[in-house]
Amino acid sequence: MDVLVKDLYASPSEHTDQSVTISGWIRTIRDSKKIAFIEVNDGSYIKNLQVIAKRDRLANFEDVVKLPISSTVKVTGKLVETPEAQQPFELHADSVDIEGVAAPDYPLQKKKHSLEYLRTIAHLRPRTNTFYAVFQIRSLAAFAIHEYLQHHDFVYVNTPIITSSDTEGAGEMFRVTTLDPDHPAKTEAGHTDFSQDFFGQETNLTVSGQLQVEPFALAFRNVYTFGPTFRAEDSHTKRHAAEFWMIEPEMAFAGLPETVTEIEGLLQFVVQYLLDHAHADLQFLNDHVDDQLLARLHQTVSEPFARITYSKAIELLQEADVAFQYPVEWGVDLKAEHEQYLAEQVFHRPVFVTDYPRAIKAFYMRDNPDEKTVAAVDLLVPRIGELVGGSQREEREAVLRAKMQEFKLPEAEYDWYLELRKYGGTKHSGFGIGFERLLMYVTGMDNIRDVIPYPRVQGSINF
Amino acid sequence: MDVLVKDLYASPSEHTDQSVTISGWIRTIRDSKKIAFIEVNDGSYIKNLQVIAKRDRLANFEDVVKLPISSTVKVTGKLVETPEAQQPFELHADSVDIEGVAAPDYPLQKKKHSLEYLRTIAHLRPRTNTFYAVFQIRSLAAFAIHEYLQHHDFVYVNTPIITSSDTEGAGEMFRVTTLDPDHPAKTEAGHTDFSQDFFGQETNLTVSGQLQVEPFALAFRNVYTFGPTFRAEDSHTKRHAAEFWMIEPEMAFAGLPETVTEIEGLLQFVVQYLLDHAHADLQFLNDHVDDQLLARLHQTVSEPFARITYSKAIELLQEADVAFQYPVEWGVDLKAEHEQYLAEQVFHRPVFVTDYPRAIKAFYMRDNPDEKTVAAVDLLVPRIGELVGGSQREEREAVLRAKMQEFKLPEAEYDWYLELRKYGGTKHSGFGIGFERLLMYVTGMDNIRDVIPYPRVQGSINF
C-alpha cells in the first residue's frame, strides 16, 4: 500500500529508516552519472518528496533518468532524515517502477507561467503549486463552512437551480430550454410558445436560493444553502463570473444583531480552519502571490470586525481626501472603490455597514422605523469590497405586499412567499456569502477566474 | 436566549426545574377552562415540547388558547420532568408572548395529508413530521459524505454546471442561452447563430462532472464533486427527476477493487452517521413510512455487500422463477426489475455487479483483457436498484482514441481529456452516487419528488 507524502510530512519519525512505497508524478529530475535526484509529487500535499536513485542499485536507472516531466512512478525505498538539507527527509530508492511515460512536450516545464496562460490549460493548472494551493483551500473552506453551520444546528437545503422566478427582480438571467433552437414552437401571435417547453413555461437559472430557503427556516429554524448561482451579466471585471457558488444561511427568530454575530463567527471559523489545516498552502501563497496574506488572516481571527451604519459610511467617504470616480451622497449605492476605501484605508479590516437606504436594497428587506432605511448589512473586506450581504426579512404581510407593489413585482408569482407571512410568519434574517470572493480573500488571488476550477465568463466556455 | 428543544431532549436533566425560554410554532392546542396543553415545535427537533398554560398564571390566557395552528410564541417557564407521561418533560409556562398570529385557514391542520397534496405546498410541507425527517436526513447525509471524503484525503472540486460538452455522449440536455427567444441571431444559412450567444457557442447544463474532475484526480490524487446535474428526459418514473445531485469521487493510482472498497466504506459511514445523528427522524419514518427501514439500515452497516460479475448476474436472472417484463441475455443492460430482483430476492442486501459488456457502458471505461467487458461496477440495492455506478478509466491513450472513434465521439471536443493520458496519465478510477436515490434508500420514501425540496420534473416547475 502506498504511503501518502502528506503523512510523511505530518509524522516523519513514524516512517524514518523504514521501507515505504509511494506513487506520484515526476516534477523534476537532476542526474549525474551515478545518482539522480527526482522530485516526486503524489497529489496528497503541496510539497514534493525527494527520491534518491542510484545507478548501482537500480537496474532501470537509465530508463528512469530519461523520463519526461509528469511521468508517473511507483517508488519503494528507505526514508532517511536529512537534517542538514533543505527538505526534511528523502527516499533512497530500492526500486522505481515506471507506471506511465509522459510525452516530452508537457506544457508545465520548470519555468514560471503567467496566470493568463494557465487559464487556457485549466485541465493541467491544478498541478502547479499556486493552483494546487488555491484548490486545496477551496475544498477545505467549503468543508469548514459545512462544519461550522452543521455544528451550529443549521440544516443544509438544496434549493433549485432551474427556476421560474427571478429572486431579486434584478440580474440578467440565463434561459433554460429544450425547444428546437431553429424551429421553436410558436403561439398564434407568433411568439415562442413556452407552454411547449420542457417545464411548460419559461425557466431560468437561479440567481439566489434565498426565497426558496426561507420556507425551510420557518420549519427548521436555522438553514443554509450552498450551491451554484448564475448571472448573465455583461461584466468583465476581476470580481464577476457568470457561474459562482453562494452560501445563504437563514435563521428564524433572529434579527440583524444575531445575523452580524453569525457572519463574523462563520468567517472567523473558516479562516482559523484554514490556518490550522492548510498551513503549507497558505505559506506558499504568502511567499509567491500576496505577502500580506498571512498577516491579514491572522488579524481576521484575532480582532472583532468594525461596525458602522451606512449613514456614517457616507460621512466618512465625504470626508475622505480621495478623488473617487463616483461621487458620494446619502442614497447612492456604494461602489467597489468606496467599499475598498472603507475596509482598507479607514478600518484596515473587515467592516459591517448596516441600515442602507431602502430604495437601493431588495424588496424583502425589513423597513426600519425611520421609513428611510432597511435592516440590511453588508460586510466589506480589504482587497475585495463586498463579501457578504444580509438583512432581516420583512415578516409583516401588509408591509411586504405594499412594498412589492411599490417595487413593481408581480404579486401572483410570489403567492407562496407571501403565505410564509400568513402562516407562521415570524422574525427571521439571513445572509449570502459569495464563495469565490471569500476564496479571493483567503488565497490572495486577484482574479475570480483563478479560484474557480473551470471559470465561466462571457464569451468563454472551454472544457 | 432561547434554549433549543433539541438540547432539552438531549440532556433534560441540565434544564429540569429551571426557567427556560423557547420560541416556536404551535402545532396543536387542547384546552379546558383552567388549563391548556400546547404542543410547540421550535424547528430544532422533530419532537414537540408540551407547554402547560394555566389560566390563573397567564394574563393573556384567553388570547393564547384562541391562537390558530402555526402561530408563533415565545414561552418562558419551568421545565418539569414527567416520568409517568408520554413525553419525558413539559414546560409550565410563566409567560407566553405571542410573536405572530397565523391565519385560521392554515392548510396543515391535524389530519393526515397525502404526499401528492403535500407536493403542491412544497413551501409548507417541511413543517410536517415526515418531511421534517426527510430533509433533516438529507442535510445530515450530505454532511456525512463530505466528512468521510475529507477525512479520507479527498479534495472537493466544483465542476462547472454550464458546459459545452456532453459527458457520456448520451442523455438529453437542457440548453442554456441568453438569445432573444422570439428573434434569435441567425447565420446566413438561417440557423440560430450561437456565436452571438452569451458564451459564443451552444451550451448546456451538465449531466455529470466526471470528465472535468478527472484532471483534478491527476493533480490531487483523490477528489470528488458534489453538485447538481441535469437530464431533460421524458421520463415519468418515481426514480427520475430533471434536476438531481450527484457525488462523483475520482482516485488516481486506484483500480476497480479499490473503488468497490471505497463505495462500501462511504455508504456504510453515511448510514452509520444517520443512525447516530438522526435517530428520532429515522424512528418516525420507520413507524410511519417503511417499517423495514431501520432493519435495512442496521444490516447495511453490519454485513459486507455481496459481489458478483455481470455474467453471473445474467445466469442468476435466467435461472429465476420470475416473469420479467424485459427478457435477459448476455449483453443486455439490466432494467430496474432485474436490479431489484438481484438485490431483494437473491442477496437481500446491496450487491456489487462488475465487468459489464463494453458495448452498453460509456466510452471512458477501461477495456478488460477479455475484450468483451469493461472494468465497471454498479451497486444495486433493495427497493431502488442502481444506486452507484463506477469504473476504472481507460488510461491508454491509443485504446481510448480508438474507442472514441468506435463510439462515434468528436475527438476534437475531447482534446484536453486525451491530453490527460498524454501527460501524466496513470491508472485511475471513480464512481458516481445519485444523492436522491441514496436518500430514498435511507428514508424509505418511495418517490424521488419527496426527497427533493422543490422537485423539477417534466411539465412542473412550481416555486
Side-chain angles (χ1 to χ4, degrees):
Chain A
M1 262 274 286
D2 284 359
V3 169
L4 295 184
V5 170
K6 175 190 180 177
D7 294 331
L8 296 181
Y9 276 92
S11 49
S13 59
E14 273 183 38
H15 303 278
T16 304
D17 297 328
Q18 292 181 31
S19 175
V20 302
T21 299
I22 62 131
S23 298
W25 293 268
I26 294 178
R27 284 280 179 90
T28 65
I29 300 186
R30 287 178 296 128
D31 71 296
S32 61
K33 266 191 186 161
K34 293 185 175 172
I35 189 167
F37 303 89
I38 309 173
E39 296 275 334
V40 177
N41 189 287
D42 81 337
S44 72
Y45 199 55
I46 193 172
K47 294 184 182 174
N48 302 324
L49 176 63
Q50 174 150 295
V51 172
I52 308 295
K54 289 186 175 160
R55 181 184 294 273
D56 61 8
R57 298 188 69 136
L58 297 176
N60 61 350
F61 182 84
E62 281 300 330
D63 295 332
V64 168
V65 296
K66 277 187 288 189
L67 284 173
I69 303 302
S70 91
S71 297
T72 47
V73 289
K74 180 173 194 156
V75 184
T76 299
K78 195 166 82 169
L79 194 75
V80 177
E81 290 202 50
T82 53
E84 320 271 287
Q86 213 183 346
Q87 66 284 350
F89 43 72
E90 55 193 25
L91 186 63
H92 291 206
D94 294 317
S95 70
V96 177
D97 296 341
I98 299 169
E99 301 276 313
V101 180
D105 61 340
Y106 182 57
L108 296 171
Q109 302 292 337
K110 241 182 140 182
K111 72 182 173 71
K112 207 168 146 59
H113 298 283
S114 74
L115 296 175
E116 289 75 16
Y117 169 69
L118 291 172
R119 274 175 222 147
T120 68
I121 50 169
H123 60 311
L124 300 177
R125 69 176 178 169
R127 304 177 187 187
T128 65
N129 287 328
T130 299
F131 286 98
Y132 185 97
V134 166
F135 293 124
Q136 181 73 258
I137 288 169
R138 184 174 174 120
S139 171
L140 292 168
F143 184 64
I145 288 163
H146 281 296
E147 183 151 298
Y148 177 89
L149 291 169
Q150 294 268 336
H151 292 162
H152 284 74
D153 300 308
F154 284 71
V155 172
Y156 182 36
V157 179
N158 295 128
T159 47
I161 309 301
I162 305 176
T163 171
S164 58
S165 83
D166 172 355
T167 300
E168 312 197 5
E172 290 293 312
M173 302 180 83
F174 289 101
R175 196 164 72 256
V176 175
T177 179
T178 57
L179 290 175
D180 182 330
D182 288 338
H183 306 287
K186 295 277 185 185
T187 62
E188 283 186 21
H191 297 297
T192 303
D193 185 2
F194 288 111
S195 76
Q196 303 295 311
D197 209 343
F198 189 87
F199 294 107
Q201 67 183 89
E202 190 172 348
T203 51
N204 299 300
L205 291 181
T206 184
V207 298
S208 160
Q210 181 204 313
L211 296 197
Q212 287 102 337
V213 87
E214 279 187 52
F216 284 77
L218 300 181
F220 288 100
R221 192 177 191 104
N222 294 332
V223 296
Y224 67 109
T225 74
F226 191 168
T229 52
F230 305 84
R231 300 279 160 92
E233 274 169 10
D234 184 7
S235 180
H236 289 271
T237 82
K238 291 178 174 183
R239 304 187 308 148
H240 291 89
E243 176 179 322
F244 54 99
W245 286 59
M246 282 185 75
I247 303 102
E248 297 181 284
E250 190 78 23
M251 299 167 284
F253 308 112
L256 204 62
E258 293 90 338
T259 304
V260 165
T261 303
E262 206 62 63
I263 295 170
E264 191 177 65
L266 172 55
L267 292 180
Q268 289 188 326
F269 179 87
V270 171
V271 171
Q272 187 61 56
Y273 189 91
L274 294 175
L275 290 169
D276 292 343
H277 292 83
H279 180 72
D281 305 290
L282 290 171
Q283 187 66 56
F284 180 88
L285 294 171
N286 195 79
D287 292 345
H288 295 91
V289 172
D290 173 3
D291 63 7
Q292 298 302 305
L293 177 62
L294 280 171
R296 193 165 63 241
L297 297 184
H298 284 296
Q299 189 206 33
T300 302
V301 294
S302 59
E303 284 184 36
F305 301 173
R307 301 176 192 209
I308 54 171
T309 62
Y310 168 88
S311 298
K312 179 71 186 169
I314 294 296
E315 270 177 44
L316 290 168
L317 290 165
Q318 285 173 332
E319 289 163 7
D321 189 18
V322 177
F324 293 119
Q325 193 188 341
Y326 295 91
V328 173
E329 59 174 358
W330 201 98
V332 302
D333 207 357
L334 299 184
K335 302 282 185 185
E337 59 175 346
H338 309 133
E339 295 172 340
Q340 286 165 5
Y341 171 80
L342 290 168
E344 286 168 20
Q345 305 300 319
V346 181
F347 293 100
H348 311 288
R349 65 187 200 275
V351 52
F352 288 110
V353 179
T354 62
D355 304 296
Y356 282 79
R358 66 194 290 283
I360 60 168
K361 285 289 185 184
F363 75 94
Y364 50 72
M365 297 191 178
R366 194 178 197 278
D367 278 358
N368 280 330
D370 66 12
E371 297 184 357
K372 290 193 310 187
T373 61
V374 285
V377 58
D378 281 359
L379 178 68
L380 315 181
V381 302
R383 289 189 63 253
I384 312 294
E386 183 191 337
L387 174 62
V388 185
S391 74
Q392 186 171 341
R393 316 310 189 186
E394 186 56 78
E395 88 281 12
R396 297 163 294 187
E397 188 185 347
V399 178
L400 183 61
R401 213 176 271 277
K403 206 158 164 187
M404 286 173 67
Q405 282 173 3
E406 184 191 336
F407 280 58
K408 300 193 184 356
L409 291 161
E411 254 186 67
E413 238 184 63
Y414 294 90
D415 258 0
W416 61 272
Y417 189 69
L418 286 158
E419 279 194 1
L420 301 180
R421 280 66 187 167
K422 188 174 171 190
Y423 304 125
T426 193
K427 183 164 82 167
H428 64 292
S429 302
F431 57 97
I433 304 177
F435 185 47
E436 280 79 7
R437 295 225 178 148
L438 174 59
L439 292 174
M440 290 167 75
Y441 184 70
V442 297
T443 61
M445 299 301 283
D446 193 39
N447 191 313
I448 196 168
R449 293 170 178 81
D450 295 330
V451 298
I452 300 177
Y454 301 93
R456 269 69 176 105
V457 297
Q458 196 177 24
S460 165
I461 184 141
N462 299 312
F463 308 98
Chain B
M1 263 273 288
D2 285 359
V3 169
L4 296 184
V5 170
K6 174 190 179 176
D7 294 331
L8 296 182
Y9 276 92
S11 49
S13 59
E14 274 183 37
H15 304 277
T16 305
D17 298 326
Q18 294 182 31
S19 175
V20 302
T21 299
I22 62 132
S23 299
W25 294 268
I26 294 178
R27 283 281 178 89
T28 64
I29 300 187
R30 287 178 297 127
D31 71 295
S32 61
K33 266 192 187 158
K34 294 188 174 170
I35 189 167
F37 302 90
I38 310 173
E39 296 276 335
V40 177
N41 189 288
D42 81 338
S44 72
Y45 200 55
I46 192 171
K47 293 184 182 174
N48 302 324
L49 176 63
Q50 174 150 294
V51 172
I52 309 295
K54 289 186 175 162
R55 180 184 295 273
D56 60 9
R57 299 190 68 139
L58 296 176
N60 61 349
F61 182 83
E62 282 300 331
D63 296 331
V64 168
V65 297
K66 277 188 289 191
L67 284 173
I69 302 304
S70 91
S71 296
T72 46
V73 289
K74 181 172 193 157
V75 184
T76 299
K78 195 166 80 167
L79 194 75
V80 177
E81 290 202 50
T82 53
E84 320 268 289
Q86 216 183 345
Q87 66 284 349
F89 42 73
E90 54 193 28
L91 186 63
H92 291 206
D94 294 317
S95 71
V96 177
D97 297 341
I98 299 169
E99 301 278 312
V101 180
D105 60 342
Y106 182 58
L108 295 172
Q109 302 292 337
K110 240 183 140 180
K111 74 181 173 70
K112 206 169 145 59
H113 298 282
S114 74
L115 296 175
E116 289 75 15
Y117 169 69
L118 291 172
R119 275 175 222 145
T120 68
I121 50 169
H123 60 312
L124 301 177
R125 68 176 179 168
R127 304 177 187 188
T128 65
N129 286 329
T130 299
F131 286 98
Y132 185 97
V134 165
F135 292 124
Q136 181 71 259
I137 288 169
R138 185 175 173 118
S139 171
L140 292 168
F143 184 65
I145 289 163
H146 280 296
E147 182 150 300
Y148 178 90
L149 291 169
Q150 294 269 336
H151 291 161
H152 284 73
D153 300 308
F154 284 70
V155 172
Y156 182 36
V157 179
N158 296 129
T159 47
I161 309 301
I162 305 175
T163 170
S164 58
S165 84
D166 172 355
T167 299
E168 312 199 3
E172 291 292 312
M173 302 180 82
F174 290 102
R175 197 167 68 257
V176 175
T177 180
T178 57
L179 291 175
D180 182 329
D182 288 338
H183 305 287
K186 295 276 186 187
T187 62
E188 283 187 20
H191 296 298
T192 303
D193 185 2
F194 288 111
S195 76
Q196 303 295 311
D197 208 344
F198 189 86
F199 294 107
Q201 67 183 89
E202 188 172 349
T203 51
N204 299 298
L205 291 180
T206 183
V207 298
S208 160
Q210 182 205 312
L211 296 197
Q212 287 102 337
V213 87
E214 280 186 50
F216 283 78
L218 300 182
F220 288 101
R221 192 177 192 105
N222 294 331
V223 296
Y224 68 109
T225 74
F226 191 168
T229 52
F230 305 84
R231 299 279 161 92
E233 276 170 8
D234 185 7
S235 180
H236 288 272
T237 81
K238 291 180 176 183
R239 305 187 308 147
H240 291 89
E243 176 178 322
F244 54 99
W245 286 58
M246 281 185 75
I247 303 102
E248 297 181 283
E250 190 78 24
M251 299 166 284
F253 307 112
L256 204 61
E258 293 90 340
T259 304
V260 165
T261 303
E262 207 61 65
I263 296 170
E264 191 179 66
L266 172 55
L267 292 179
Q268 290 187 327
F269 178 87
V270 171
V271 171
Q272 188 61 55
Y273 189 91
L274 294 175
L275 290 169
D276 293 343
H277 293 83
H279 181 71
D281 304 291
L282 290 171
Q283 187 67 55
F284 180 87
L285 294 171
N286 196 78
D287 292 345
H288 295 92
V289 171
D290 173 3
D291 64 7
Q292 297 302 304
L293 177 62
L294 281 171
R296 195 167 59 242
L297 297 184
H298 283 297
Q299 190 206 33
T300 302
V301 294
S302 59
E303 284 184 36
F305 301 173
R307 301 176 192 210
I308 55 170
T309 62
Y310 168 88
S311 298
K312 179 70 186 173
I314 294 295
E315 270 178 43
L316 290 167
L317 290 165
Q318 285 174 332
E319 288 163 8
D321 190 18
V322 176
F324 292 118
Q325 192 188 342
Y326 294 92
V328 173
E329 59 174 357
W330 200 98
V332 303
D333 208 358
L334 300 185
K335 302 281 184 186
E337 59 175 346
H338 309 133
E339 295 172 341
Q340 286 165 7
Y341 171 81
L342 290 168
E344 287 167 21
Q345 306 300 319
V346 181
F347 293 99
H348 313 286
R349 66 187 199 275
V351 51
F352 288 111
V353 179
T354 62
D355 304 296
Y356 282 78
R358 68 193 289 284
I360 60 169
K361 285 289 183 184
F363 75 94
Y364 50 72
M365 299 191 178
R366 194 179 198 277
D367 277 359
N368 280 330
D370 65 12
E371 296 184 358
K372 291 193 310 189
T373 61
V374 284
V377 59
D378 280 1
L379 178 68
L380 316 180
V381 301
R383 288 189 62 254
I384 312 293
E386 183 191 337
L387 174 62
V388 185
S391 74
Q392 186 171 341
R393 316 311 188 187
E394 186 57 77
E395 87 281 12
R396 296 164 295 187
E397 188 185 348
V399 178
L400 182 62
R401 212 175 271 278
K403 207 159 164 187
M404 286 175 68
Q405 281 174 3
E406 183 191 335
F407 280 58
K408 299 194 185 355
L409 290 162
E411 255 184 67
E413 240 185 62
Y414 294 89
D415 258 0
W416 62 271
Y417 189 68
L418 286 159
E419 279 194 0
L420 300 180
R421 280 66 188 168
K422 188 174 170 190
Y423 304 125
T426 194
K427 184 164 80 168
H428 66 291
S429 303
F431 58 97
I433 304 176
F435 186 47
E436 281 79 8
R437 295 224 177 149
L438 174 58
L439 292 173
M440 292 168 74
Y441 185 70
V442 297
T443 60
M445 299 301 282
D446 194 38
N447 192 314
I448 196 167
R449 292 170 178 80
D450 295 329
V451 298
I452 300 177
Y454 302 93
R456 268 70 177 107
V457 297
Q458 195 175 25
S460 165
I461 184 141
N462 299 312
F463 309 97

